[in-house]
């Protein structure tokens, strides 16, 4: 995957995205993702890969200081239209190269983005960088099952799936390992499809 290919794929996906990824089990997963979050009025929240804005309807967005970024202009434009009446700042930006200061956000939210970007390690590093000390990082994505290797079937089909704009072979445990001394794991919960998709909640030390 690369940025150019992702831009092309998500231009195609944009008109249909909510039909697949903001309904049924995915909608329930998003609801579970945010149900225990204790946002305070005025908290600074960064949504990385906000897409069509599917996550935003699950939070009190009118009480928060929200910045939402995406690399796909088509996806971002849908979010802008949905939330045109709000103060949410929507920006076209690469998750691998955030144009933001260190230690800026109380919450950094990344739904279905880490398995999309070309360099997942760089994107995760940027998420950690812009989160405040004692701030939280909230992730909803698909990862290789904890303590297991990718099955032979998935290994065979992984290159094909990547052509559709996502990767089924990312291990969160390996991604997290270099940062474990600077982060606290609050939650690592299976959400949907027998643990293929997980909720991961981290706190920055």
């Amino acid at each position: 995957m690369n940025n150019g290919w992702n831009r092309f794929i998500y231009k195609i996906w944009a008109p249909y995205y909510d039909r697949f990824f903001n309904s049924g089990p995915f909608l329930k997963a998003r609801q579970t993702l945010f149900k225990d979050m204790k946002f305070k009025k005025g908290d600074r929240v960064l949504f990385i890969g906000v897409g069509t804005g599917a996550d935003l309807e699950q939070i009190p967005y009118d009480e928060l200081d929200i910045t939402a970024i995406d690399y796909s202009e088509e996806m971002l434009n849908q979010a802008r239209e949905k939330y045109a009446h709000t103060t949410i700042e929507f920006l076209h930006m690469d998750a691998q190269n955030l144009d933001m200061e260190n230690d800026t956000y109380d919450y950094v939210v990344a739904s279905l983005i880490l398995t999309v970007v070309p360099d997942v390690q760089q994107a995760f590093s940027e998420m950690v960088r812009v989160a405040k000390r004692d701030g939280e990082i909230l992730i909803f994505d698909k990862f290789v099952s904890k303590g297991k290797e990718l099955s032979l079937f998935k290994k065979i089909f992984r290159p094909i799936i990547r052509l559709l704009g996502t990767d089924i072979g990312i291990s969160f445990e390996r991604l997290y390992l270099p940062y474990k001394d600077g982060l606290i794991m609050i939650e690592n919960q299976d959400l949907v499809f027998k643990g293929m998709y997980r909720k991961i909640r981290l706190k920055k030390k």
Side-chain angles (χ1 to χ4, degrees):
M1 295 183 295
N2 58 61
N3 278 343
W5 181 252
N6 280 349
R7 190 185 301 115
F8 170 73
I9 286 295
Y10 284 93
K11 182 176 183 178
I12 296 172
W13 265 118
Y16 314 104
Y17 187 86
D18 281 353
R19 194 177 304 171
F20 291 95
F21 295 105
N22 195 27
S23 63
F26 283 99
L27 176 57
K28 290 180 182 178
R30 292 182 194 276
Q31 291 168 342
T32 301
L33 182 69
F34 291 102
K35 73 175 184 178
D36 296 323
M37 300 303 293
K38 306 296 184 184
F39 294 110
K40 300 189 299 294
K41 189 170 184 178
D43 275 346
R44 299 194 70 184
V45 184
L46 173 64
F47 282 84
I48 297 179
V50 70
T52 61
D55 281 345
L56 295 172
E57 62 193 59
Q58 304 301 330
I59 65 170
Y61 54 79
D62 55 337
E63 297 179 2
L64 304 170
D65 181 359
I66 298 175
T67 301
I69 73 157
D70 206 280
Y71 197 70
S72 166
E73 285 282 15
E74 287 76 19
M75 299 278 275
L76 200 58
N77 285 339
Q78 289 205 30
R80 285 186 178 117
E81 289 177 12
K82 288 181 187 177
Y83 296 94
H85 61 291
T86 73
T87 59
I88 298 172
E89 182 179 22
F90 292 99
L91 299 173
H92 178 247
M93 195 177 295
D94 186 350
Q96 302 163 116
N97 185 24
L98 299 177
D99 186 17
M100 294 158 178
E101 298 292 328
N102 297 348
D103 306 313
T104 298
Y105 294 95
D106 299 290
Y107 294 90
V108 177
V109 182
S111 288
L112 307 181
I113 184 64
L114 285 176
T115 53
V116 168
V117 293
D119 188 338
V120 60
Q121 197 76 53
Q122 177 63 22
F124 186 64
S125 176
E126 284 289 85
M127 290 166 57
V128 174
R129 180 181 67 80
V130 301
K132 287 181 179 179
R133 302 290 176 181
D134 294 323
E136 293 191 15
I137 298 169
L138 185 63
I139 298 167
F140 166 44
D141 220 321
K142 56 188 170 299
F143 298 106
V144 176
S145 297
K146 290 170 278 189
K148 295 183 180 179
E149 294 296 322
L150 203 62
S151 69
L152 178 60
F153 176 82
K154 289 182 178 179
K155 285 180 180 178
I156 292 170
F157 280 93
R158 185 181 182 187
I160 298 170
I161 299 298
R162 283 168 63 92
L163 289 175
L164 298 176
T166 192
D167 192 345
I168 59 172
I170 302 295
S171 165
F172 182 76
E173 282 64 37
R174 291 175 186 165
L175 178 65
Y176 172 69
L177 190 60
Y179 302 92
K180 65 182 180 64
D181 292 337
L183 297 170
I184 299 169
M185 178 75 73
I186 299 174
E187 193 172 355
N188 189 349
Q189 174 190 351
D190 294 347
L191 282 187
V192 68
F193 300 137
K194 297 182 179 180
M196 182 178 182
Y197 288 81
R198 284 190 258 163
K199 170 185 178 179
I200 296 167
R201 189 175 166 198
L202 308 167
K203 185 174 182 178
K204 185 174 175 180
K205 294 181 182 178

